[in-house]
Amino acid sequence: GAVVSQHPSRVICKSGTSVKIECRSLDFQATTMFWYRQFPKQSLMLMATSNEGSKATYEQGVEKDKFLINHASLTLSTLTVTSAHPEDSSFYICSASQGARDTIYFGEGSWLTVV
Amino acid sequence: DAKTTQPNSMESNEEEPVHLPCNHSTISGTDYIHWYRQLPSQGPEYVIHGLTSNVNNRMASLAIAEDRKSSTLILHRATLRDAAVYYCILRGDSGTYKYIFGTGTRLKVLA
């Protein structure tokens, strides 16, 4: 199947700093990418949908100024957690689709710990 | 977005078949049924998807009810590596085609 890669897989940052997570589609061009957050023992929660070259669409309750999403190319989307706080510590997962009706593939996930 | 309902957990013995049910009574005619599974600390892995007809692939089979209001993921011979959370998701044919995850079924495979 298609490969979606995230980097870093684990990151620890200090409270108040910003951290960037990258999501790359390695063998296909992704017109649409999705970002999820998952707390322990819970399901994935969709944060936002990003389409290449346009602004991301955020789900209700997700702060767009705190979780900055950039989808500047067909193979790369980034999620920047700004002014991170301990409550932002979570497992962040991206997914990508070649087209609106194509199967969505997920990255390996990125663990963020804010201390 | 149409919702799905799955049992919270199931157990199976190794080498035996497993039938994971999913109810989606509000499914629309153009919604595809997708199944993913998630191992601990990993992103979800695609398993199978279908629209109306039953589907088979190397990982599993998908049986879709005639009225499409329910489906069953079938693992023909469970292995310890199949222990995971299995998600049944509907993907519409309009809008952003995004996946909304339910709670999924945690499958435990007993040796």
Side-chain angles (χ1 to χ4, degrees), chain A residues 34 36 38 42-44 46 59 91 93 97 99-108 111, chain B residues 34 36 38 41-46 49 87 91 93 96-103 106:
Chain A
F34 303 87
Y36 293 82
Q38 185 176 32
Q42 296 186 20
S43 185
L44 285 76
L46 179 65
E59 296 297 305
F91 191 48
I93 307 168
S97 172
R101 297 184 181 185
D102 291 296
T103 297
I104 295 177
Y105 295 96
F106 288 82
E108 315 96 319
W111 280 104
Chain B
H34 289 248
Y36 285 76
Q38 186 180 27
S41 296
Q42 294 187 25
E45 173 189 26
Y46 169 78
H49 77 281
Y87 294 100
R91 191 181 193 193
D93 196 36
T96 59
Y97 311 94
K98 57 189 179 184
Y99 283 175
I100 301 298
F101 282 77
T103 54
R106 184 173 299 275

Side-chain angles (χ1 to χ4, degrees), chain A residues 24-37:
Chain A
R24 294 182 184 272
S25 57
L26 299 184
D27 56 357
F28 66 100
Q29 292 186 325
T31 57
T32 305
M33 287 184 169
F34 303 87
W35 286 95
Y36 293 82
R37 180 165 61 178

Side-chain angles (χ1 to χ4, degrees), chain A residues 1 4 13 18 23 28 53 57-58 61 63 67 72-73 75-76 79 82-83 93 99 102 105:
Chain A
V4 176
C13 71
S18 296
C23 176
F28 66 100
T57 302
Y58 290 81
E63 300 174 61
F67 299 100
S73 79
T75 60
L76 174 64
L79 168 68
T82 62
S83 186
I93 307 168
D102 291 296
Y105 295 96

